[in-house]
Amino acid sequence: MKKLLLTVTALFLGSALYAQNIEEKVESLLKEMTLEEKIGQMTQFTSSGDVTGPTLRGNVEKEVKAGNVGSLFNAFTASYTRKLQKMAVEETRLGIPLLFGYDVIHGHRTLFPIPLGEASSFDLEAMEEAARIAAVEASAEGIHWTFAPMVDVSRDPRWGRVMEGAGEDTYYNNLVAKARVKGFQGDDLSKENTILACAKHFLAYGAPIAGRDYNTVDMSLQTLHEVYLPPFKATVDAGVETFMTSFNEINGVPSTANPYLFKDILRDQWGFDGMVVTDYTAINELVPHGTAKDLAHAGVQALKAGIDMDMEGAVFLETLKESVEKGDVTEEEINVAVRRILTLKHKLGLFEDPYRYSDEEREARVVLSKEHKQAARKIARKSIVLLKNDNQVLPLDLEKQTKIAAIGPLVKSKKDVLGAWKAKGSPKDAKSLFEGLKGATKGKAELLYAKGCDMKSDDKSGFAEAIEVANQSDVVVLAIGEPRTISGEAKSRSDITIPGVQTELLEALKETGKPIVVVLMNGRPLALEKEDELADAILETWHLGTMAGPAIADVIFGKYNPGGKLPMTFPRNVGQVPIYYNAKNTGRPFDPAQPSGYKSNYLDVPNSPLYPFGYGLSYTTFEYGEITLSSDKMTDEAITASIEVTNTGNYDGEEVVQMYIQDVIGKSTRPLKELKGFEKVFIKKGETKKITFTIEKEALTYFRWDMSEGVEAGDFNVYIGTNSDDVKSATFNLTKDYEASKNYNPIGSK
């Protein structure tokens, strides 16, 4: 024991000395730097390696040599980053290394499912593994920093960037955020296979009015604090090193000019000591937002809000020196930002060896390795959600179904499976659904093919061939959905049905009488009422990445029993949006038993979604027992809620057992239910497993109308089940009020 204590003490002291050493080096360097060199460190430009927005700067190499750049993004490959780094280190006065960033969102060369799809796995270890592999590949190509994870909660599928997050639930977003930060950053930033993570977009970027990207966000302080802030706090708790501003305004103040976000909350209340970077040209955009009269004014606003680095806009570079001379900002305010930037470069070991990430041998060995592809296939199939399976059409039986028709515009696509934000993922490295089916049916069944139609056109000339192929088959596998190009940034849609005539193709194929398995590929929840009515089975496969085809084939033919669950609600139509499971009652709640009268319901569609949050079927069936509480009264101690789950079907399978809680009466109104726990369990056919959740009073707290945080004595409903709608219930009583130990200062208040 004594030896263990000595070891822990030594590690602690060593860490403290290491931090002190970095601080001393940073202060020493700051004393040597001119004002212009400091401002250069606060400037980030894009290289010519890739383009992810309008380029405002020309010859970036000239800027590097002039010392005007602290960071570059869109530069990759070991040889190219080494070349640029050499310019910074050997051709500038102080030789400060560059920080290379890139949008490594769901993989680098080996691509994993889009983040929303990956969140459907409800497998935190898998998500951490995917981020770890992405970091290994990206770091081998000279990249130090990813602009991920996006931890924006979003309840609106019209917003194109829902594909980049973990969906509508705050609790779940908290856990996914931590897993992804840990995956990217590893357990030691000084290792050359780790990269800096970036929590984005601070704040509430996922809640724009009408789901239109970059649009205004206007909501109560309670909602901001309860729903949108916690995932960012989770990343701070996980040790995230950087934050990114959001483009939107919140209640009248653009995020990039909001000191209450970046000073009051992020720095003072949460203790974040890392770096804040703007999103692409966000400082420039303060002018059209209407809070800054010109770029110089915008630069002052951003710096005083707590922004450290300007992405691509060159506002700091072109205006800060003059702002210092005018007395609008001080050099010490600039020093604060530069300290954070230089500290990160030290943490990554770039001052010791600026080329340590640009390793061509490691690049050749790890990028697109066999092991990485195997992991991509494993995680892709975990991310598939079975939405419908009438008459147990799936899995297909190759002894009975010897002729399979593969139809649809996405059957042979190798580019669309990669999804938006595909980094350097290439179609030539991807496996299409057709390739997956071909590999699985080789020597066992005949695979027929017809494209049928394009994804976005109204041309039906291919229908006849598709019908002919279907008539020759025993079963139809129809791959339809969204092209990768209509989800992601600036890809909002007012109509979230499947585009073009793809649904009409499904209607035509239905007339053949053949069983139809719809394979959906998409970047957002879609309105699927027609498809749900017409298809015999539906697989939600999202955009699954490099190994999409084999992963989908594994599920179709029963090599893998799907266990994914939806992290976002699927509406019946776009008129229901926003629709989410943890809504609140009105004073006239809808009663299905009495649908008429003055109630909170639609005249033309049920209030319920098509598929609720947490929904997903399996090839087997699970039966839930009744909930057992360790006590029906909660005092100061936690209580437990247990339930037995039995696999009553014919297949072994995974089930995501979900626990929700409802605060029945509160000082402020509370949601109908909130996710407070889940466990993904593997249960063999015929087996019963007991699942136990711990409920602590801290998990019951919320922000009340006066922005105090706590919970009141009273009854709480516990729900446990297979999705947010299909649950068992029990009730316990909290015997006394509980006030949270720490309150957050509301945005805009002192």
Side-chain angles (χ1 to χ4, degrees), residues 248-478:
N248 56 285
E249 68 165 70
I250 305 173
N251 300 344
V253 183
S255 292
T256 307
N258 195 330
Y260 295 104
L261 287 179
F262 294 101
K263 288 188 173 179
D264 279 18
I265 294 176
L266 186 60
R267 303 288 185 191
D268 295 344
Q269 294 177 31
W270 293 354
F272 177 72
D273 60 1
M275 179 180 69
V276 174
V277 65
T278 72
D279 207 336
Y280 207 107
T281 67
I283 299 178
N284 310 64
E285 294 168 21
L286 295 177
V287 176
H289 265 300
T291 62
K293 62 184 178 182
D294 54 27
L295 290 181
H297 188 198
V300 170
Q301 285 187 340
L303 183 66
K304 288 188 174 294
I307 309 308
D308 303 313
M309 184 175 283
D310 175 9
M311 181 188 287
E312 185 60 19
V315 177
F316 283 170
L317 184 66
E318 295 176 357
T319 69
L320 270 191
K321 182 182 178 184
E322 185 176 351
S323 295
V324 171
E325 292 168 351
K326 287 181 176 180
D328 294 333
V329 297
T330 67
E331 187 165 355
E332 181 49 38
E333 287 176 302
I334 289 171
N335 288 345
V336 170
V338 178
R339 281 189 190 98
R340 294 169 183 153
I341 296 164
L342 296 178
T343 297
L344 283 186
K345 294 182 179 184
H346 271 291
K347 283 185 176 182
L348 291 169
L350 297 180
F351 281 96
E352 287 73 23
D353 179 5
Y355 309 111
R356 63 201 305 265
Y357 278 68
S358 303
D359 186 336
E360 292 185 60
E361 182 279 325
R362 186 161 67 95
E363 178 182 36
R365 175 167 43 84
V366 304
V367 168
L368 286 164
S369 70
K370 180 181 177 182
E371 293 76 17
H372 291 179
K373 289 180 181 179
Q374 287 173 340
R377 180 173 181 169
K378 176 188 70 174
I379 294 170
R381 63 190 191 182
K382 284 176 178 281
S383 304
I384 294 171
V385 185
L386 179 62
L387 297 179
K388 183 179 181 182
N389 195 22
D390 283 0
N391 302 315
Q392 295 294 294
V393 170
L394 290 173
L396 300 186
D397 186 342
L398 289 174
E399 292 186 4
K400 296 177 181 178
Q401 290 148 325
T402 58
K403 285 190 176 182
I404 298 170
I407 297 173
L410 282 160
V411 169
K412 289 191 173 182
S413 176
K414 293 162 70 77
K415 64 181 181 180
D416 292 296
V417 296
L418 299 179
W421 293 115
K422 66 179 182 60
K424 292 315 294 175
S426 172
K428 69 180 178 61
D429 299 315
K431 296 292 183 183
S432 69
L433 173 58
F434 189 79
E435 289 172 296
L437 295 173
K438 192 174 181 180
T441 57
K442 188 176 182 181
K444 300 174 185 176
E446 184 180 356
L447 188 62
L448 310 174
Y449 167 74
K451 184 178 181 181
C453 65
D454 292 324
M455 273 182 283
K456 294 167 72 176
S457 89
D458 58 2
D459 182 5
K460 301 180 187 178
S461 60
F463 280 24
E465 181 190 9
I467 292 168
E468 182 181 351
V469 166
N471 281 323
Q472 297 173 40
S473 70
D474 299 312
V475 63
V476 174
V477 175
L478 177 64

Side-chain angles (χ1 to χ4, degrees), residues 102 252 386 546:
Y102 193 49
L386 179 62
T546 304

Side-chain angles (χ1 to χ4, degrees), residues 14 29 77 94 163 211 250 301 338 424 441 495 594 645 737:
L29 184 55
T77 75
L94 294 176
M163 56 75 53
I250 305 173
Q301 285 187 340
V338 178
K424 292 315 294 175
T441 57
D495 177 0
Q594 297 179 319
V645 182
D737 294 355

Side-chain angles (χ1 to χ4, degrees), residues 565 612-616 655-656 658 660 721-727:
K565 302 282 186 174
F613 175 87
Y615 177 85
E655 171 70 337
V656 180
Q658 303 157 45
Y660 301 85
T722 186
N723 63 62
S724 59
D725 275 1
D726 187 357
V727 293

